[in-house]
Structure formats: C-alpha cells, structure tokens
Amino acid sequence: MDKYSNGWEATANGHSSPRLPTVDEALQYTPFTSIVPCNPDVLPVPAAYPPPSSNVFLDNDEKHAARSLLKALNKQADSTQNASARLQQQLHQVQKLLKQDPPTEYKFKELPNVGKIFQQPVESPATKETEEEKGKRERERKEREKLHIPRPKLGAFTKMALRTVKVPYRYPTPDSPDRQQHGGQQNATAPKKTPQHAQIPSPDPSITAPPSNASRLSPKVKNEVSFPVNGFDVGSAQLTPRPSPGKAAVVVPDLPVASQRTEYEEFPELDAQLEVTGGSVSRKRIHEQPQQGLKALNFNIDQRQKGDEAVEILSQELDNVFEAENEVLATGGNGISVFENQYLSMENIDDTTVAVLVPPTQYKLESAVQKVIALGRMNSIPLDETLRLQKLFGDVVSLANTKDLKIGNEISEADVEEWTLRLETAHSGLLASRNILRVMTACFEEKRIQSEGLVNSILTLLRQVMDSCIIPVVESRASGASAESFRIFSKHQKPLSHLLQAFSRVLKALGDFLSKVDVDESAITTVEALTQGLIFAENAPTEKDAALTIQRFENLRRAAMDVVAKIFFSYSEQRPSIINGILTSLEKLPVTRQSARHFRLAEGKPIQLVSALIMQLIQTSASSSSATNKARKKIPSKDDEGENSGSEESEDDVPLQAQLLRATQIDMGDEASMDVGTMMMSLKDVAHSHYESAFNNAHDVMKYLVRRAMTATKTGDQPYRNLLDIFTEDFISVLGTAEWPAAELLLQVLARHLFSIMKNDKSTVPAQNMALDLMGTLGAGIFNLEDHSRSLHRGLDSSTSEIESSLSQITDEILEENVNDLDALSFNGPTRIVLEFLHSKDLGDSQLMSARGYHVIQWAESLNAAYDIARKTEGRDLEQFKPLASKLRKMVRDLQWLDAE
C-alpha cells in the first residue's frame, strides 16, 4: 500500500496521521471555486472545535435509504428460506471491507461509569477483598441496577457478517512489558468482555485529497471523539487530528521565481469605475466588516444545527403519521385501527370515506413544518413525503368545505352546539390552508408541489367562510332583524375570534404565495373579489354595536389590503382592474367620519382604510415589478403537463437568483464611459416610467372622485361629495410623513382638477363652490404643515450631530426659498435620511417598502428637473450631477443597493 494512501501518512510507531493537503489540492473544496450562492449543505461551515461525531449520511434521503436496506437485510437474514442473491452480495461487500489489510485502527477508552457498570468483579484466590473494595463493588452494583443500561444489540445481518469474518481485536489489560513490546497483538488469555479496542475499516477513500510531493507533518496531538451506540456513548476513539484543532490547515508552497509584478494584469475599466464612485470604503464599513463576519459565522453554525434538529423532528412526525395512515388504509375504512383517534379519523367527504388528520396531530405537524420553513430547510424533506403531507392537509380543507356556517334567527341550543363544531372544523381547514400555502411558497421552484386543485380548494374555503360567517358576524347589530344572531355571536366570541385570526393568517400566506408563484387569471379574479368583499364590508360604528371588537375586523381588513397591494405589485396587468374595482365600490363606504375612519396610524388620527389602500397602490405603482414578474414561477395546470417536455431550457428553468441578477444587473463599465448628459438621460429612462405610472393612477382616482362629486350634494343620496371631503382630509392628515409620500401626489392632482374647474367658464355653480371649499381645505393643510415644520426646526440642536446640523441648514434655506438644488438633493441629504429611517422600521412591511420605492423615484425625478434647469443656466458645473445620478440609477434598478452601501 502507498505510504500516503487515502490521505494518511505512516509514522514511526506504526500509526497513521492525517496528511495536510497543498493549497492546490484544498482549493477545489473551498467556496473560492464555488458558484455564488453556495448551498450551505455542500460545504460545512468550519467549527471552532471538532464535533463529537461526524455525519455518515449527507442528507435524510440517504439516511432513510440506508435504514430501509439494513431493515430488509435483517429480515432476510432472520429467515433461512428467503436468503437471496442480494443478501449474499451485500454480505460479500461487507466482508471485503472488513478484510482490508491493514484496516484502520481505533483505540476505545472506557467512560468513567459505564465501563465499570458493565464489568463484573473477578475474585482472585491469591488475594483477599478488603472492606473498602467490598463497599465500592456494592455501590457499583446498586448504580448498575439503578441505571438499567441495556447492552447494545446487533441485527441479524450484522451478526452474520461478524460470524463469517475474523476481525482482530484486543481486550484492555494492564500494561506489561510484553504488551509494550507487542502492542498490536491479540491477548489470548484475556476474559471475554465487551470489546473496547477494535480495528475498523477507514471511510470511503474517494473523498480524500490526492497524494502530493509537498511537505507533510505528523502531529502527535491526541483528540477524543465519542461514538454513540443505541442512544448512549460507550467509549471514545483516539484520533490524530490536524496540528491546530478547530482550524483548517494547508501546506503553502513557496512562490515560484516567475511570479513577479511584471505579470500582473491591468483592468482600466475597473479603475475608471473606482474613479467615478470615489473608490473608497467608509470607515464605518471597515470597522463593522470583521465583527459582522464573525457574527455571520456563528449565526450560520447555530442555524445549521437548529435546521438539522427541526428536520429530524418533522421527519419523525411524518413517519408516525404515514405509518398510521398506512395502518388505517389497510383496513379499508371498515375495521378499527389502533391509530384511529390518535393521528387520524375517518370522515365522509363527497360520499367517500377519507382518513383526516385529527386537530392535535395537525397542530404538531404545522408547528414542525413552520420551524423547518423558517430555517430554510424545507428542501431537506423528500419530495414524495412533502406531496403526501400536502394531500393530508388538503383533505382537511376539503372536509371544511363541506360545512355550512350559516345561522338563522330561530335556532335551538342543539343547533348552536352543532354550529360551534362546524366552526372548529372550519378553523382546522384554515390552519391547513395556511400550511399548504407556506409549503408551496417555500418550495416555489418545485412544480410538482404547486397544485392548482389545492389553490382552488383554499379559495373556495375562504369565500365560504367569509360569506357564511365573517360578513354576517361583522354586519350584525344589537337591535333590528339580526338581534338574535348578534346575541349568539356575542356569546361565542372566542371561537369566532380564533376563526378571524386564522383567516387573517391565511390571507398573509396567500399574499406571499402570489408574490412568488404565477397563478392563472381566474384565481387572481377570485382573490380580488374576496379581498374587496372584506375591505368594503361595513364595520360597526361603536363597540357596543360590534359582536366582536371593531379592531379585530380592522386587522382582517388590513390583511386583505396587503394582499391587494402584493397583487398590484406582482401582476402589473391586473392594475387597471384593481383600481376600477375599488372605485366602483366606493359607494358602499360609510359617509360619516366616525364610522369611516378605523385605520390606525403610528402617529396622528385614524383615517379610512380605503384611503390608506389608495396611497399604498400609488406608491406601489412607482416600484419596479419587472424582476418580480420574471422571477415568479407559473403554477402548472393539467393542460400544461407534458407540453414542454424535451424542449429547450425555458425562462422558468433558470434559477431564481440568476433571473434576479439578469433583471437588476448594472453595466458598471458603461457608467464609467458616460458623460453627464448620457448619465442623466439613462436615469430618466429607468425612473420616469415608474413616476408616470404612479401619476396616471393618481390622476384616474382623483378624476373619478371629482367627477362623481360634481353631480352630488352633501345631503343627496349619492355619497361621493362627502367621500371626497373625507379623502381630502385623510391625505392632508398624512401629508409630510415618511410612510405616505403618495399623499402629496394625490393632493397635487386634486389641486389641478380644482383649478381646472375654476378656470372653466362652463362649470356649474355647485361645482365651483365645491372647488373653492376644497381649495380652502388644501390651503389650510399646507399652512399647518409649514407651521409644523417651523416648530420642529426651532427644536433642532445643530450642535448635537452632523445630521441635525445639516437638516437645520437646509430647512432654513427652504423656508427662505433660497435653497441650492444639489444641497437639498445630495446623496447624504434629507431623502437619504428618510430612506434609512424607513429601512430601520420594518423590512417585511410591504407598505414601508412601497414608500421607500416611491421616495427613490421622486428623488430621481427631482434631480432630473434640477438638471434641466441647470442646463439653461450659464456658468453651472453640470458634472456635479453625475455622481448622484449614478447612485440613483443603481437604486432605481435595485433598492437593496442602498442597504449594501
């Protein structure tokens, strides 16, 4: 055998130690040669200390396959009649491995207690046992009886392999001159106890580095690694690790003579890019990078361990449920299984008996699945098991679809009890729906998991629960025709509150799913009708008239609003229909200010939820959705199966990360060669279309409101005149806030319409009076905002920080109408501060994300307007606009660029 076979080198005492690889040998196993992003499962993260044991299997699929094979071999070995060629082949392979010459040698040491517990006392006739030894032996006996530690048991196949192969081993005996001279020989006279020193073949040599002529080290540092057997450690193996425990080591050869500075290659385009961007790293980043790297390493190690534990827990739960399902289905639904009422129950769905998860089991599975998804490890679960899990949850949804939640005015106590049971079934169906959507979102690149039938079943359940339960509960009142229903609903607030909460969570999961998976138009239309039904339902004006609290239903309506905003962002072709649906439903809104305004703001008075929805949609219009549209995966339908088989790679087959990089890639070389005019034109090309989209949507909304209000009165049947006042007051109340920048655009468009009415000689007197009233309201709002700004300005202390000093100076210039355009629009100016403020509040809030996107587009539009004015002014240095235009161009294409900067 080669001296350096299998990556090990022999030492003088006959043992072997790991050979250090060279840099060239180790480079292929490092992230430096991997394609970003690198799957963490491919290359383990280096630990600070060698782990107590190494994983034999790469993933759970390999682990389950090995267990299944060993189980089958044990069954065949137990039966003398079923001995197959497969058994003989596997036995021959094991024998071949065990007969390797020389095999890898392991030295096992006894644990302090376990080894003594298993040892039986041996009395020698030549010596007498003292009282102290007797007491010690008695204590060991009691300790052994107390622990009840079972002896390891071998399977039938393992016993067969050991009987047919002689493996040299040696029992631990006291040190002797003979042993020191013949350390590796077998002691024939030792009593037969549990072997503590065995020679076991080495691992697969294919994963070791090839031999090299580089220098090799032979460290003698010993490290102990425990090997668990049947749930407890029976010993530890002495291995010879690398010289520095916990750190990777390689042999770095000397540089060749030819490696000189003259061989370095120049990159002019990168030098030009650094010259444009300044080419320097901020002190803050230089200081934070080492700490962030250390935190990220510890976080990744901890997350990987948690992920392994979560996957193991979910796999055990799935094994139990699948075993129960097999047992139940084996009876054909006719017999009584021992697993019934523990994991599953037999239910009748559409004249078919189906095994359905019982609530406790369902809750356990949902909790385990959620932990796996949160840690990003859903791909570690085999696909077949995931599909089977989805079917089990789908049966829960189907069972809930068979339950009617309607309740009449005349109903008995028995009917009420039966209705509460139907509520529980509906609640379980909603929880199952949420879990299905979570799994489909986490595995959105796997087409087999995206089931059109499951999506339709979930939408059917949502529509049924809303129409038969939620809307009747919300619109019931303490007096009138719904008084009896109101009494029943008020009595059962707890289950109804749980139902509303589950419904809200399903809507959130549905919004996340629709953002990543492209569904057909009919499903989108159903979701739009569902959300609009919730948004325009009339909530109670006061708490005493609400069967549930007012805020509980408002939370549900806000979840519906978020779903509409996500559809509006992800499906640009649906934007006109969404806007039209909202405008045509405005007449359903209450016209009294107390009843209309239930949407709570972080600061200030509450506003209408529809006012907040319109502003969020306008802000979303200014956000780029092209990358998202390309990244979404289309849900496969039955007609699509097999159509693209054998064809060339489609856009859907390209990984998501590659699609996002294609959509947001910025040619830095082109930027370096651009002059300021070309750079500003490029910025206008990427930003103006988004601003124009937002402006057009705002124009459509305000035009519809003004046109309908011109033909109505405050005392008439049509509510549009009062609604226009309420919308105007809502937009003014949030004017100047960082979270709702679209309010300014909507009020600007409204002012244009009002000026147009005043200038038009054909306008009616009522229309002109309406325009005058609203213009007065706008003027008062602008005056209040300016007064509030002056008050805040007086409270600024310019000596506290550079930010406050800069804001104070810019505010002075703005109030005096003597501001420099580049100072107000500078990269470190007010807009940058607003963007970082929104980023610090909540990264996952779609409303705040839309506000950030709108601020960036508005920033770019303002810079373009300032540049157009500067071009017409003599003596202006236009080159000053180029650095900011370059940065804004990056932010428009990728909003996350600013976070990295």
Side-chain angles (χ1 to χ4, degrees):
M1 181 176 293
D2 188 9
K3 176 183 179 183
Y4 302 115
S5 178
N6 297 336
W8 293 73
E9 65 174 350
T11 57
N13 58 3
H15 298 291
S16 58
S17 61
R19 176 184 61 82
L20 295 177
T22 64
V23 174
D24 293 336
E25 294 171 350
L27 187 62
Q28 57 183 317
Y29 303 107
T30 67
F32 296 106
T33 57
S34 304
I35 299 176
V36 177
C38 179
N39 188 343
D41 292 334
V42 175
L43 188 69
V45 178
Y49 193 79
S53 62
S54 58
N55 292 329
V56 180
F57 305 103
L58 297 179
D59 51 32
N60 286 331
D61 293 342
E62 185 177 341
K63 183 178 180 180
H64 291 317
R67 286 181 175 178
S68 301
L69 176 61
L70 184 60
K71 186 176 181 180
L73 293 174
N74 285 330
K75 289 183 178 180
Q76 294 181 14
D78 283 333
S79 177
T80 57
Q81 299 177 354
N82 296 330
S84 60
R86 179 185 181 186
L87 177 65
Q88 298 299 329
Q89 181 182 3
Q90 296 290 339
L91 182 61
H92 177 71
Q93 292 178 358
V94 172
Q95 293 172 349
K96 186 177 180 181
L97 289 173
L98 294 177
K99 290 180 180 179
Q100 288 185 358
D101 187 25
T104 304
E105 180 178 302
Y106 294 92
K107 292 182 179 180
F108 293 94
K109 294 169 59 179
E110 293 183 9
L111 290 180
N113 295 327
V114 176
K116 295 180 179 179
I117 292 174
F118 284 136
Q119 289 179 1
Q120 300 295 334
V122 179
E123 296 185 0
S124 172
T127 61
K128 293 184 179 180
E129 191 176 29
T130 64
E131 293 296 331
E132 182 179 355
E133 291 175 347
K134 288 182 180 181
K136 182 178 180 181
R137 181 163 59 86
E138 184 66 20
R139 287 193 300 270
E140 291 177 357
R141 184 185 63 79
K142 292 181 179 180
E143 184 178 359
R144 182 170 62 251
E145 293 177 354
K146 181 178 179 181
L147 290 178
H148 294 288
I149 299 179
R151 292 180 179 272
K153 294 183 179 180
L154 300 179
F157 178 75
T158 308
K159 293 179 179 179
M160 180 182 296
L162 290 177
R163 285 197 305 268
T164 55
V165 177
K166 291 184 178 180
V167 180
Y169 60 89
R170 177 176 56 79
Y171 296 113
T173 56
D175 292 337
S176 62
D178 182 70
R179 175 184 172 182
Q180 295 176 1
Q181 296 176 5
H182 309 283
Q185 297 178 0
Q186 179 178 352
N187 190 343
T189 62
K192 293 186 178 182
K193 302 178 183 178
T194 303
Q196 299 293 326
H197 181 188
Q199 294 180 343
I200 304 176
S202 62
D204 187 359
S206 62
I207 64 173
T208 58
S212 172
N213 294 328
S215 62
R216 293 164 175 83
L217 303 177
S218 301
K220 297 182 179 181
V221 180
K222 296 294 182 178
N223 190 28
E224 297 185 3
V225 179
S226 300
F227 290 84
V229 177
N230 285 1
F232 62 95
D233 292 337
V234 297
S236 59
Q238 290 185 347
L239 303 180
T240 307
R242 293 174 174 82
S244 180
K247 296 182 180 179
V250 294
V251 177
V252 182
D254 295 333
L255 288 175
V257 180
S259 178
Q260 301 296 333
R261 190 176 184 83
T262 56
E263 298 183 0
Y264 292 171
E265 190 174 351
E266 295 184 357
F267 297 91
E269 63 278 4
L270 295 181
D271 295 337
Q273 170 193 339
L274 293 175
E275 184 177 349
V276 171
T277 58
S280 61
V281 182
S282 65
R283 295 180 179 178
K284 179 180 178 182
R285 292 185 62 188
I286 294 176
H287 176 70
E288 290 180 353
Q289 279 177 353
Q291 298 178 357
Q292 292 176 352
L294 181 60
K295 291 181 180 178
L297 177 61
N298 295 334
F299 176 78
N300 289 335
I301 296 175
D302 184 57
Q303 289 296 99
R304 184 179 180 86
Q305 293 175 349
K306 291 182 178 179
D308 293 339
E309 294 175 0
V311 169
E312 183 65 24
I313 292 174
L314 178 57
S315 299
Q316 293 177 359
E317 292 291 339
L318 291 177
D319 290 341
N320 295 334
V321 173
F322 293 157
E323 182 181 359
E325 185 183 27
N326 294 336
E327 180 70 19
V328 171
L329 295 179
T331 64
N334 299 322
I336 299 178
S337 170
V338 295
F339 293 103
E340 285 194 53
N341 300 323
Q342 181 181 359
Y343 295 104
L344 303 165
S345 64
M346 306 306 295
E347 302 290 346
N348 188 11
I349 303 177
D350 297 333
D351 299 330
T352 304
T353 303
V354 180
V356 180
L357 292 171
V358 297
T361 303
Q362 179 184 342
Y363 301 154
K364 284 184 179 180
L365 284 176
E366 288 173 355
S367 177
V369 170
Q370 171 58 17
K371 290 179 181 179
V372 172
I373 293 177
L375 294 168
R377 296 291 301 276
M378 197 63 204
N379 58 348
S380 300
I381 304 299
L383 178 59
D384 292 340
E385 293 186 5
T386 304
L387 293 173
R388 193 171 177 182
L389 175 64
Q390 292 289 82
K391 182 183 180 302
L392 287 173
F393 283 124
D395 291 336
V396 178
V397 177
S398 299
L399 178 63
N401 276 325
T402 63
K403 307 299 181 181
D404 188 6
L405 302 181
K406 291 181 180 179
I407 187 171
N409 290 330
E410 298 180 0
I411 187 172
S412 63
E413 290 297 330
D415 294 335
V416 172
E417 284 293 328
E418 200 272 335
W419 173 72
T420 56
L421 294 178
R422 295 200 301 268
L423 286 180
E424 294 178 1
T425 304
H427 182 260
S428 297
L430 291 174
L431 295 180
S433 300
R434 179 194 183 195
N435 199 80
I436 291 173
L437 293 171
R438 279 177 167 176
V439 173
M440 294 172 72
T441 304
C443 307
F444 67 96
E445 292 186 342
E446 180 55 58
K447 293 183 178 180
R448 290 178 58 187
I449 296 180
Q450 314 304 324
S451 171
E452 184 179 7
L454 285 178
V455 174
N456 292 333
S457 181
I458 291 172
L459 295 180
T460 301
L461 177 61
L462 291 175
R463 186 75 192 203
Q464 175 181 322
V465 173
M466 183 189 73
D467 293 338
S468 63
C469 184
I470 294 179
I471 299 300
V473 170
V474 172
E475 295 184 347
S476 64
R477 298 294 179 261
S479 60
S482 59
E484 182 62 24
S485 299
F486 181 87
R487 183 187 64 81
I488 297 175
F489 296 148
S490 301
K491 187 178 178 180
H492 296 84
Q493 282 191 3
K494 186 174 181 179
L496 288 173
S497 299
H498 291 168
L499 190 71
L500 257 67
Q501 187 179 33
F503 198 101
S504 177
R505 291 175 177 176
V506 175
L507 288 181
K508 183 181 183 302
L510 181 62
D512 296 338
F513 169 72
L514 294 177
S515 300
K516 289 192 175 182
V517 181
D518 191 5
V519 301
D520 57 14
E521 186 176 354
S522 61
I524 293 296
T525 304
T526 303
V527 176
E528 291 177 9
L530 179 73
T531 53
Q532 289 179 11
L534 292 171
I535 291 173
F536 292 99
E538 185 176 358
N539 202 354
T542 59
E543 291 290 349
K544 69 177 182 178
D545 289 329
L548 304 176
T549 60
I550 294 177
Q551 200 56 39
R552 281 175 179 168
F553 182 64
E554 289 303 317
N555 293 336
L556 178 59
R557 294 211 300 177
R558 183 154 190 172
M561 183 185 85
D562 291 338
V563 174
V564 174
K566 289 179 179 179
I567 295 176
F568 194 86
F569 175 77
S570 301
Y571 299 82
S572 56
E573 68 279 1
Q574 296 292 328
R575 292 180 178 181
S577 64
I578 293 176
I579 293 291
N580 293 333
I582 293 173
L583 294 178
T584 55
S585 302
L586 290 178
E587 60 184 9
K588 300 178 183 178
L589 293 175
V591 295
T592 60
R593 288 167 171 77
Q594 182 180 9
S595 302
R597 290 171 174 154
H598 294 304
F599 186 86
R600 295 180 179 178
L601 300 173
E603 297 179 358
K605 298 179 180 179
I607 62 175
Q608 287 186 122
L609 181 133
V610 179
S611 299
L613 174 60
I614 290 176
M615 288 188 288
Q616 184 171 350
L617 295 184
I618 300 303
Q619 293 167 183
T620 305
S621 302
S623 303
S624 175
S625 62
S626 58
T628 304
N629 292 337
K630 290 181 180 180
R632 289 200 316 269
K633 292 290 183 178
K634 187 180 185 302
I635 188 170
S637 60
K638 295 180 180 179
D639 298 333
D640 295 336
E641 295 180 0
E643 287 185 4
N644 298 326
S645 58
S647 60
E648 296 181 357
E649 182 182 17
S650 63
E651 183 70 17
D652 287 344
D653 296 328
V654 180
L656 171 63
Q657 189 69 16
Q659 296 183 38
L660 292 176
L661 289 174
R662 290 180 187 178
T664 60
Q665 186 176 9
I666 300 174
D667 191 348
M668 304 302 297
D670 291 345
E671 283 197 0
S673 61
M674 287 182 182
D675 58 18
V676 61
T678 307
M679 178 70 73
M680 295 302 301
M681 183 59 65
S682 176
L683 176 61
K684 186 175 182 179
D685 290 341
V686 298
H688 184 68
S689 60
H690 301 306
Y691 181 82
E692 190 175 31
S693 175
F695 179 84
N696 291 336
N697 287 329
H699 180 271
D700 293 340
V701 171
M702 300 313 300
K703 179 181 178 181
Y704 180 87
L705 288 172
V706 171
R707 180 170 55 84
R708 296 300 297 267
M710 289 173 58
T711 59
T713 62
K714 292 187 175 183
T715 58
D717 296 334
Q718 295 181 339
Y720 292 99
R721 179 66 182 88
N722 288 326
L723 286 177
L724 183 57
D725 289 343
I726 294 176
F727 277 114
T728 304
E729 293 170 1
D730 287 346
F731 298 152
I732 290 176
S733 65
V734 298
L735 183 63
T737 59
E739 295 87 350
W740 305 103
E744 179 183 356
L745 178 60
L746 288 163
L747 292 175
Q748 288 177 355
V749 174
L750 174 61
R752 291 187 182 187
H753 284 292
L754 298 179
F755 280 117
S756 177
I757 293 174
M758 295 300 298
K759 292 180 180 180
N760 189 357
D761 296 335
K762 298 181 180 180
S763 299
T764 63
V765 174
Q768 291 180 345
N769 290 335
M770 179 195 72
L772 286 173
D773 290 342
L774 291 174
M775 288 172 66
T777 304
L778 289 177
I782 295 173
F783 176 80
N784 291 334
L785 177 61
E786 183 177 349
D787 184 66
H788 182 64
S789 300
R790 293 181 185 273
S791 176
L792 292 177
H793 174 242
R794 288 192 296 268
L796 287 177
D797 185 2
S798 58
S799 63
T800 303
S801 64
E802 294 182 3
I803 294 179
E804 291 195 8
S805 176
S806 175
L807 289 178
S808 178
Q809 180 181 355
I810 293 175
T811 305
D812 280 333
E813 295 174 353
I814 292 176
L815 294 176
E816 295 173 1
E817 298 183 357
N818 189 27
V819 63
N820 182 284
D821 46 14
L822 286 180
D823 289 341
L825 299 174
S826 64
F827 183 67
N828 295 320
T831 308
R832 167 75 177 274
I833 297 173
V834 169
L835 292 176
E836 294 192 355
F837 165 74
L838 293 174
H839 176 74
S840 65
K841 291 191 67 174
D842 189 355
L843 293 177
D845 193 324
S846 59
Q847 188 270 319
L848 296 180
M849 290 296 294
S850 69
R852 293 186 74 204
Y854 184 88
H855 279 297
V856 171
I857 296 300
Q858 194 177 40
W859 195 359
E861 280 293 302
S862 300
L863 184 65
N864 274 310
Y867 176 77
D868 292 339
I869 296 174
R871 281 195 309 166
K872 301 174 184 179
T873 305
E874 296 183 1
R876 286 295 301 269
D877 184 10
L878 300 181
E879 288 295 328
Q880 296 178 352
F881 288 86
K882 185 176 179 180
L884 180 57
S886 173
K887 295 174 181 177
L888 285 176
R889 185 170 178 260
K890 299 182 182 74
M891 283 192 288
V892 171
R893 292 190 173 187
D894 182 11
L895 191 59
Q896 306 302 323
W897 178 87
L898 180 62
D899 303 336
E901 180 68 14

